[in-house]
């Protein structure tokens, strides 16, 4: 049992390294509960059998039962026995988790579906660790599942991994080896642990920094159309930091490079205009279409550009001025981009004064479907546009105001029907933004940000909504620079998104790419006041019948399915009260494990005594444990007869036990050997040889009788505590190398 608990401690410590991936830590407690149930079930079965098969089977069954109880009780029998409906609900949870992972950015919200996947994964790892450590009797093999866990943050994004979590896990693993080693070497283990911890914490500060290797074709280098390089930059194996920024509000922001207004049959591209020296970056024009009723807050953003080969500066929107730039940098009024002929952004430091615009859903709804004729250029489409694009737009978002239709398009792309992939377009030969590529993407439904952004923008134009595509960067990762909050942006954060125009508000950003970016309050259909998209009941068109998307796969429907009792067992995103209650009940149940373990130890000893596989010394050790549990600890230096005199009662059963343990402890070796092992008396000794003294027989009956006699004068409260929380067991756990 001690070794089983140690396995859970090691895995739980490794699991804590995943804290960089999630916004809260509640999932960790659920995962630890699942691992305790899995490993505890195997330990309970192992107390009755020495084989590895039954404990492993018990751990698997326990995993199925606890997952059913926590997440899928409504589809099961008695809350723990799964049915075919449970399997279907579990498949729905896995699908919802996959969609949630693609939809969110880091750190993510651990939604119930994600917690289910984490519990399943860690439960399987706990089963494997238990089988390797106790079944195969190879404690060091617990490193295999530990390394799998530690690899997750590194594989997700190397720079977010927590070195301290790695060091703590290494220390706990070494302690685990120290406890389980046949020949403990504490000095060696302590030395190795100290070296590992000190090295992981101190070496980054002592060793010189490794310079980043610049590669040819750095992010968005100076071509006239950044879309041409976006896919290649996203697929680069080495993720490089391109800039850092900080804001006076502490908030993060998307950073725009350039707006692509022109959609030809082949691609999206920016409008090339002559530089106007009157368009100074010290004083921008007012943001197009922004009404006086829309709430705005001033913001100041300080940007430090590193290795970014771009003719456009990363900018917040809408900017009002830029300071700190060399001369001859100008802004382009329509797209609010900033550039300089023949220059690149590498190495620049500057400060942007801008506005944080916060339109309300009511203001966006008030725009209706009206469009200013001056925006006709943002509605232009090629003549030979594939029919599937317009048909899909009408099927998905054919009704409502422009705002409602924009939300419907966004949620269609963020549904489980689509997946984010940087390689699928290359493998399928549809990488780009042309109209034929968009038609293929709507059929295949797998691509990266530029496919989602360009498809939504084109579909919006077919519905009469002015649109454009913006290329830039996601907000990046929060870091600390000079004790202040800042954000670090890398090539991994390269992104593209659509902007739609609404009368009285201006250009508004949307985020159709699943798993990337953030939703504004006005674009989050789960936020108060944001209208739920009304998706047409007819089937969405597709180039192939087998790939036809479900028109009901909008975000609200997906959340409703996730929150239904059939899937979550009553859990929801807004509240995990049933799961919390189950966790509390689980913790209470776990508090009774000591009583179960102590009872199993006692029963096993009585069985061994009755079968002749244990002797009086074992029985005497058990009596000492019983006395400690009942509040009468016995000194280790006292002889059996002295102990008997200290005990208040015991009668004939205690006398027989004392005589038996004296014989087993102090009788001559040739007498204890007995005839069964061929023992014989030394020369000159004529005493008869016996297998065992008469007093040793019946210890399986005498031991419970003595314990009952000891418990009689003890209060009922003390007897209950001795049963539930036996001190002898805790003493054994606290001192694993101490013998009774």
């Amino acid at each position: 049992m001690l070794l089983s608990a140690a396995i859970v401690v090691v895995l739980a410590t490794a699991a804590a390294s995943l804290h960089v991936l999630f916004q809260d830590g509640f999932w960790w407690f659920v995962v630890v509960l699942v691992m305790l149930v899995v490993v505890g079930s195997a330990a309970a079965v192992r107390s009755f059998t020495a084989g590895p098969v039954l404990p492993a089977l018990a751990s698997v069954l326990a995993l199925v039962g606890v997952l059913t109880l926590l997440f899928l009780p409504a589809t099961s029998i008695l809350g723990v026995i799964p049915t075919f409906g449970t399997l279907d609900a579990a498949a729905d949870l896995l699908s919802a988790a996959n969609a949630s992972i693609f939809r969110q950015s880091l750190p993510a919200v651990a939604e119930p579906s994600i917690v289910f996947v984490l519990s399943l994964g860690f439960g399987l790892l706990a089963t494997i660790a238990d089988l390797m450590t106790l079944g195969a009797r190879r404690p060091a093999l617990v490193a295999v599942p530990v390394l799998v866990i530690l690899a997750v943050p590194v594989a997700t994004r190397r720079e977010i991994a927590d070195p301290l979590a790695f060091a703590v896990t290494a220390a706990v693993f070494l302690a685990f080896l120290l406890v389980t080693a046949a020949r403990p070497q504490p000095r060696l283990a302590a030395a190795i642990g100290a070296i590992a911890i000190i090295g992981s914490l101190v070496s980054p500060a002592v060793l010189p920094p490794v310079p980043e290797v610049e590669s040819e074709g750095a992010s968005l280098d100076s071509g006239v159309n950044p879309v041409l390089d976006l896919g290649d930059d996203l697929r680069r194996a080495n993720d490089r930091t391109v800039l850092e920024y900080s804001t006076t509000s502490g908030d993060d922001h998307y950073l725009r490079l350039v707006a692509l207004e022109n959609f030809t049959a082949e691609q999206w591209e920016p409008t090339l205009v002559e530089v106007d020296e009157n368009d100074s970056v010290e004083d921008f024009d007012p943001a197009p279409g922004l009404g006086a009723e829309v709430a705005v807050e001033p913001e100041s953003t300080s940007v430090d550009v590193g290795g970014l080969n771009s003719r456009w500066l990363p900018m917040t929107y809408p900017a009002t001025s830029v300071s700190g730039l060399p001369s001859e940098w100008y802004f382009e009024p329509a797209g609010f981009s900033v550039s300089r002929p023949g220059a690149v952004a590498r190495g620049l430091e500057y400060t942007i004064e801008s506005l944080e615009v916060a339109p309300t859903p009511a203001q966006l709804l008030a725009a209706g479907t009206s469009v200013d004729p001056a925006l006709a250029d943002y509605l232009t489409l090629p003549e030979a546009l594939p029919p599937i694009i317009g048909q899909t737009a009408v099927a998905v978002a054919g009704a409502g105001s422009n705002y409602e239709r924009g939300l419907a398009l966004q949620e269609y792309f963020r549904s489980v029907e689509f997946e984010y992939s940087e390689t699928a377009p290359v493998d399928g030969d549809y990488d780009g933004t042309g109209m034929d590529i968009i038609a293929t993407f709507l059929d295949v439904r797998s691509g990266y940000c530029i496919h989602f952004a360009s498809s939504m923008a084109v579909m919006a134009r077919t519905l009469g909504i002015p649109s454009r595509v913006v290329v830039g960067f996601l907000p990046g990762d929060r870091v600390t620079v000079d004790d202040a909050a800042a954000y670090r942006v890398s090539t991994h954060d390269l992104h593209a998104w659509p902007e739609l125009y609404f009368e009285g508000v201006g250009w508004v950003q949307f985020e159709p790419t699943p798993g990337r970016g953030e939703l504004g309050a006005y674009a989050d259909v789960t936020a108060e006041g944001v209208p739920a998209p009304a998706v047409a009941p007819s089937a969405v068109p597709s180039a192939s019948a087998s790939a036809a998307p479900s028109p009901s796969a909008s975000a609200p429907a997906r959340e409703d399915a996730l929150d239904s009792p059939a899937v979550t067992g009553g859990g929801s995103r807004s509240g995990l009260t049933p799961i919390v209650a189950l966790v509390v009940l689980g913790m209470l149940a776990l508090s009774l494990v000591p009583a179960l373990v102590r009872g199993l130890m006692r029963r096993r000893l009585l069985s061994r005594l009755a079968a002749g596989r244990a002797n009086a010394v074992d029985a005497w050790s058990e009596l000492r444990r019983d006395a400690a549990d009942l509040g009468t600890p016995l000194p280790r230096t006292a002889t059996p007869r002295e102990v008997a005199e200290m005990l208040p009662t015991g009668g004939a059963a205690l006398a027989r036990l004392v005589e038996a343990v004296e014989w087993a402890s102090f009788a001559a070796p040739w007498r204890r050997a007995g005839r069964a092992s061929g023992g014989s008396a030394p020369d000159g000794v004529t005493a008869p040889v016996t297998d065992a003294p008469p007093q040793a027989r019946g210890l399986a009956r005498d031991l419970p009788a003595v314990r009952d006699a000891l418990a009689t004068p003890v209060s009922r409260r003390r007897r209950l505590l001795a049963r539930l929380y036996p001190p002898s067991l805790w003493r054994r756990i606290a001192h694993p190398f101490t013998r009774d």
Side-chain angles (χ1 to χ4, degrees), residues 414-573:
R414 293 177 68 87
S415 72
V416 295
E417 300 291 340
F418 287 84
E419 67 172 356
Y420 181 88
S421 173
E422 296 167 3
T423 57
V426 177
D427 297 338
D429 196 23
Y430 62 95
D431 196 14
T433 60
M435 60 184 187
D436 292 332
I437 288 175
I438 292 176
T440 304
F441 167 71
L442 291 176
D443 181 43
V444 179
R445 298 173 190 176
S446 180
Y448 57 93
C449 56
I450 193 60
H451 298 91
F452 290 95
S454 60
S455 297
M456 179 173 171
V458 172
M459 291 169 68
R461 288 192 177 188
T462 66
L463 298 174
I465 307 174
S467 65
R468 64 189 182 188
V469 173
V470 177
V471 176
F473 294 96
L474 293 171
D477 297 322
R478 187 182 179 92
V479 295
T480 300
V481 178
D482 296 332
D483 298 327
Y487 297 89
R488 180 172 295 146
V489 178
S490 70
T491 52
H492 179 80
D493 296 309
L494 281 167
H495 196 48
W497 60 91
E499 289 183 344
L500 308 186
Y501 188 91
F502 302 98
E503 290 295 322
V505 179
W507 290 103
V508 176
Q509 170 184 313
F510 285 83
E511 184 53 87
T513 306
R516 300 278 283 171
E518 303 171 353
L519 293 176
Y522 58 84
D524 187 350
V525 296
T526 64
E528 183 178 357
V530 178
V535 181
S538 59
V540 175
S542 174
S544 61
S546 62
S550 170
S552 62
S554 63
R558 191 171 63 250
E559 298 299 338
D560 292 343
L562 177 60
D563 294 341
S564 66
V567 177
T568 65
S572 69
R573 290 186 62 183

Side-chain angles (χ1 to χ4, degrees), residues 103-135:
R103 186 174 67 248
Q104 297 193 67
S105 57
L106 297 179
V109 176
E111 297 178 348
S113 58
I114 294 179
V115 178
F116 171 76
V117 172
L118 289 171
S119 301
L120 174 61
F122 278 96
L124 292 174
L125 289 176
T127 300
I128 295 172
D130 181 84
L131 183 62
M132 290 178 171
T133 303
L134 297 175

